Amino acid sequence: MKKRFLLIAAAVVMIVAALYGILLFFQNAPYAPKTSTDFAMGSVLTQTYWTNWVSGNVRKAIEELEEELLSATEAPALALEIMEASNGAFNPYLGALVKLWDVDGQKYVPTQEEIEQALEAKELDLGAYGKGAACDVALRITSYNRGYPPVQGAVVNFGGNIFTYKQKTWWQPFKIALRDPLGGPNDTMGVFTLRGTHFISTSGSYEKYFERDGVKYHHIFDPETGYPACRDPGLVSVTVITGAEGYEAGGLSTGGAIGDMVSTACFVQGYEASLELLAQYSCDALFVYENGDVRPVGRVMEYYEAR
Amino acid sequence: MKRGDILIALALLALAGLALLLRPSGAGGVYVNGEAVSGSVTINEVVIEVDGSRARVTDSPCRDKLCVHAGWLDRPGDVAVCLPQRVIVEIRGTARRQVDGVAG
């Protein structure tokens, strides 16, 4: 009688342990996401990890990148490559021009002479490179985590540039909303359903701009004219989605920086002229227009759904 | 034995209930710079009005006032950010999140 009771007790303990294990597996670790919000490099950094333990410090790594970029005297090779591939539509030497217009600050409409001087100054400005490069840093740090359990999945949002890593769970893809450039700051126009590691970068005229005498001046400049880009009339934003195939094959992570620079080049060039560049760097893209038109490039409609 | 079985079943239920209780639950509400707030507060000169589960920035010394223009934040995931003053106001929710991030 006593032996039987012991057996049952042992069985019960094992069942409880198993149930608790299953509960933990599905409800807690590693599937409960952990989110933190920070400021880095003048932007908001939101990190969500589907793991218990993160050894790397993405914020610190981004701050190191910022120091590196601020002290840089030469544009990174990748930036020069994109400048050439985009026929100069992306240009890392617009520093003086950005300061002259000062869309973030004084909001000044310069004269033709001042613009020409600023273009000739060829001052380095890596504004259209930094946030994307920061997403590459996030990929490096996240995949370096060799602890147990390894990072199962992550979403890093760095000032609107998104980096998704691996997966949340094997049955849940990432859902990344796209902000509506024609709506308010909390309005979205659609959702990307993504599996695996991707970078999403948006360049648009809707976030940073000012108005003078009824004319809107935004912050993405055409390197040919020195004025806010307007080659594709009505274009308000370009969102570029890139993968991390190169990194997964053992190379450097460049998808984030490429996406950031290519989206800027696409915004300057407009839809027609960008198709070749997008194909060259295996990017998908969404061009959004003032009247609500959306023009997809590549396979984006396979994972994008409008609201 | 019958009585023992019942006891064991009860013990099992109690343990399962305990495990459910110990589950981490994302507390909802208004968060400013990662800290939960229950009433209106002023942080780094940014005035935040909290009304139940919703919040808004009513005043800020920053130039562009993007945080003020964000208006009422009432859905989980809504955020108002004041970069110059380094303030983030967000609504966190117990409800299942619909998206994992917002691009753009």
Side-chain angles (χ1 to χ4, degrees):
Chain A
M1 207 56 178
K2 203 179 172 191
K3 204 175 170 188
R4 199 172 155 200
F5 182 79
L6 274 174
L7 254 168
I8 292 171
V12 163
V13 168
M14 277 166 74
I15 290 168
V16 168
L19 279 176
Y20 191 64
I22 290 168
L23 235 152
L24 278 181
F25 191 78
F26 283 101
Q27 300 288 357
N28 190 347
Y31 297 120
K34 289 166 183 61
T35 301
S36 67
T37 307
D38 275 306
F39 288 101
M41 222 162 104
S43 290
V44 180
L45 170 69
T46 308
Q47 304 172 68
T48 307
Y49 281 88
W50 280 264
T51 183
N52 266 342
W53 192 71
V54 182
S55 65
N57 186 333
V58 173
R59 185 181 53 79
K60 206 175 131 211
I62 289 177
E63 277 166 2
E64 282 165 18
L65 172 75
E66 184 186 16
E67 271 172 40
E68 198 184 303
L69 294 182
L70 285 176
S71 60
T73 48
E74 299 263 336
L78 191 61
L80 297 174
E81 189 191 310
I82 305 259
M83 176 158 98
E84 202 182 312
S86 66
N87 299 315
F90 166 78
N91 188 325
Y93 295 108
L94 299 181
L97 190 71
V98 171
K99 278 182 200 154
L100 180 63
W101 283 88
D102 200 10
V103 177
D104 285 334
Q106 298 300 313
K107 307 179 195 306
Y108 172 69
V109 182
T111 64
Q112 192 62 38
E113 200 180 329
E114 286 172 319
I115 286 174
E116 274 162 25
Q117 271 177 6
L119 283 172
E120 274 163 29
K122 291 202 190 329
E123 190 185 319
L124 191 63
D125 174 66
L126 295 170
Y129 169 87
K131 278 197 216 167
C135 290
D136 287 320
V137 165
L139 170 57
R140 211 182 66 217
I141 299 290
T142 307
S143 63
Y144 270 6
N145 183 2
R146 296 210 173 87
Y148 184 83
V151 174
Q152 170 177 276
V155 173
V156 174
N157 185 343
F158 186 47
N161 281 46
I162 299 262
F163 153 59
T164 65
Y165 181 72
K166 289 192 175 170
Q167 55 187 1
K168 286 154 79 171
T169 58
W170 57 267
W171 67 90
Q172 286 174 299
F174 291 116
K175 297 269 186 190
I176 307 295
L178 179 61
R179 197 181 136 184
D180 184 357
L182 310 168
N186 283 313
D187 290 335
T188 57
M189 59 176 283
V191 176
F192 296 104
T193 303
L194 294 167
R195 289 170 198 280
T197 302
H198 293 277
F199 301 96
I200 307 175
S201 178
T202 300
S203 292
S205 57
Y206 59 94
E207 187 135 29
K208 288 183 184 170
Y209 65 88
F210 66 92
E211 281 188 58
R212 273 300 132 76
D213 304 324
V215 184
K216 265 191 184 176
Y217 299 97
H218 62 77
H219 77 297
I220 303 172
F221 301 103
D222 188 331
E224 272 177 26
T225 62
Y227 274 87
C230 59
R231 288 189 212 171
D232 193 348
L235 183 63
V236 281
S237 85
V238 182
T239 298
V240 169
I241 304 98
T242 51
E245 289 81 9
Y247 185 73
E248 278 153 9
L252 284 171
S253 174
T254 51
I258 286 176
D260 204 353
M261 293 186 281
V262 167
S263 70
T264 305
C266 288
F267 188 85
V268 170
Q269 285 181 306
Y271 177 82
E272 299 289 342
S274 297
L275 297 175
E276 202 181 317
L277 180 71
L278 288 164
Q280 188 184 339
Y281 286 95
S282 325
C283 300
D284 292 344
L286 272 183
F287 288 68
V288 182
Y289 290 83
E290 229 166 39
N291 58 7
D293 276 359
V294 174
R295 298 171 91 174
V297 181
R299 294 180 303 169
V300 64
M301 293 321 274
E302 288 172 20
Y303 52 83
Y304 174 77
E305 201 184 336
R307 275 260 155 87
Chain B
M1 269 330 276
K2 254 197 162 160
R3 205 170 147 182
D5 286 348
I6 292 165
L7 275 173
I8 285 159
L10 280 176
L12 256 176
L13 277 173
L15 271 166
L18 196 72
L20 276 169
L21 280 176
L22 289 175
R23 233 173 65 193
S25 58
V30 181
Y31 283 72
V32 178
N33 288 359
E35 310 256 330
V37 292
S38 49
S40 300
V41 286
T42 302
I43 289 169
N44 296 354
E45 296 170 70
V46 175
V47 185
I48 299 144
E49 182 184 346
V50 178
D51 169 30
S53 62
R54 59 179 199 156
R56 68 172 171 179
V57 177
T58 48
D59 192 30
S60 162
C62 63
R63 188 176 40 228
D64 293 333
K65 309 254 187 278
L66 289 175
C67 46
V68 180
H69 295 151
W72 280 106
L73 315 171
D74 44 18
R75 294 164 296 185
D78 281 358
V79 190
V81 175
C82 185
L83 268 178
Q85 303 299 118
R86 296 174 85 81
V87 170
I88 303 169
V89 185
E90 55 186 325
I91 310 289
R92 293 186 190 170
T94 42
R96 212 188 179 85
R97 287 191 308 173
Q98 287 180 323
V99 294
D100 304 306
V102 180

